[in-house]
Amino acid sequence: MKENKKALCPECDEFTIPEIIEKEEKVIIRKEEFKVKVKRAICTNCHAEFGLSEYGFDEKQIAYDLYRKKHNYLFPDDIKRIREKYGLRQKPFSRLLGFGEITIHLYEKGALPDETHMEMLKLAENPENIKKIYEDNKEAISDSDRQIFENNLQKLLDEKKKNKLREIIIALFDYEPDIYSGYKKFNLDYFTNFIKLLLKFKSPLYKTHLVKICCYLDFLKFKNDGCSFTGCRYVVGPYGPFLDQYDKLFCYLKDRNAVETVIDFKNNAEYFNFTEEPDISLFSEKDMKLIREVTEKLGNLTPGELSNKTHKEFPDWNEKIIGQYISFEDAKYLKL
Ligand SMILES: [Zn+2]
């Protein structure tokens, strides 16, 4: 409440601007004692002390919040968020979980769920769990609610799959920067924008071109500045260097619609199209210039010319062992 707002004193029935004090009080929630800092008003007329609940100050809710924190409970806003992500109104969501009709409404308003209900709500947060609950209990909600729920659930499950791939990639690329990654820490969001930027300068690009341009750019950047663009590692392949784990990276980019791919059946190849603007704030003007030059130049070569170029510029290519990481020390031999 506003500190200088007038309040009606229940003792002397006078409207005064009370003095506000803070004090600690014990509140019992389910046989547990919580110390709650409460605000009290002292009437300046008769010095009586009174509560401020009519001004939105609710000490029971504060104690509930302490209880929620202590027992790792979801908060009313969490419950609302979970319900809304499945697109259900309060009543059908209640019924789906096997609660009473208005139970979710009460929980979202601040009532404290019992332990069994709380466990159920926590389970329901995970789309895979609620899918099982739904399969056992879909009769509890109407046809139209089922439709809405199933659509939202599918979207969430798809999203989860994408996130899983993201987690896998982040784990795979969680190595310490060294001479095999151009002394740069890999960052998936930066990499995504890097690929978008390449495709902005030259699109479509064959997959082999895209992989080799990445490699060239990382090595050139290392040669100029002592660290690569992306932190990716490159592997000795039979047809030149290739980007380590590129299949997972490209799968991720496709899932996110950061790129669009088309299969070229005539040439038995896959090419990539520009779909989304990169966040160019991640790149300096000097970097953008280098990326544009290399992408346009190499992007115009035929696959044969490109393969030749990468073979020739990396020293002792034929003596390298297939499958090994390429050291960025080789960057000093690159020309362009
Ligand atoms: Zn008074």
Side-chain angles (χ1 to χ4, degrees), residues 181-182 184 190-191 193-202 205 208-232 234 241 243 283-299 306 309-310 313-314 328 331-332 334-336:
S181 58
K184 176 77 180 261
Y190 180 89
F191 178 81
N193 281 288
F194 182 76
I195 296 294
K196 284 187 197 171
L197 187 61
L198 263 59
L199 288 168
K200 187 179 166 69
F201 290 142
K202 178 91 178 113
L205 272 176
T208 44
H209 277 68
L210 192 57
V211 166
K212 292 209 162 101
I213 292 168
C214 277
C215 174
Y216 238 77
L217 278 167
D218 269 338
F219 277 76
L220 275 178
K221 170 83 174 161
F222 181 85
K223 185 182 172 186
N224 296 342
D225 299 341
C227 76
S228 72
F229 278 117
T230 68
C232 285
Y234 295 89
L243 177 58
F283 307 94
S284 71
E285 259 178 48
K286 193 182 140 212
D287 286 346
M288 295 256 279
K289 193 169 164 278
L290 180 69
I291 294 168
R292 178 194 278 272
E293 274 175 22
V294 171
T295 307
E296 286 176 352
K297 196 167 175 183
L298 298 185
L306 186 62
K309 189 168 174 58
T310 48
E313 291 196 8
F314 283 93
F328 273 77
K332 56 179 180 273
L334 290 200
K335 300 175 226 96
L336 205 89

Side-chain angles (χ1 to χ4, degrees), residues 43-59:
C43 172
T44 42
N45 186 43
C46 72
H47 304 289
E49 184 185 313
F50 57 96
L52 293 160
S53 56
E54 61 267 47
Y55 300 94
F57 185 80
D58 188 344
E59 58 202 55

Side-chain angles (χ1 to χ4, degrees), residues 7-16 41-51:
L8 180 67
C9 169
E11 279 298 315
C12 67
D13 261 353
E14 285 281 326
F15 262 111
T16 60
I42 307 284
C43 172
T44 42
N45 186 43
C46 72
H47 304 289
E49 184 185 313
F50 57 96

Side-chain angles (χ1 to χ4, degrees), residues 21-29 34-41 49-68 110:
I21 56 157
E22 262 193 26
K23 61 194 251 185
E24 215 171 59
E25 278 203 0
K26 288 175 191 163
V27 181
I28 308 286
I29 307 286
F34 292 90
K35 281 180 191 150
V36 178
K37 255 194 193 154
V38 298
K39 283 191 177 182
R40 293 266 180 247
E49 184 185 313
F50 57 96
L52 293 160
S53 56
E54 61 267 47
Y55 300 94
F57 185 80
D58 188 344
E59 58 202 55
K60 202 171 89 188
Q61 278 305 330
I62 295 174
Y64 275 178
D65 282 352
L66 293 173
Y67 186 93
R68 289 179 175 109

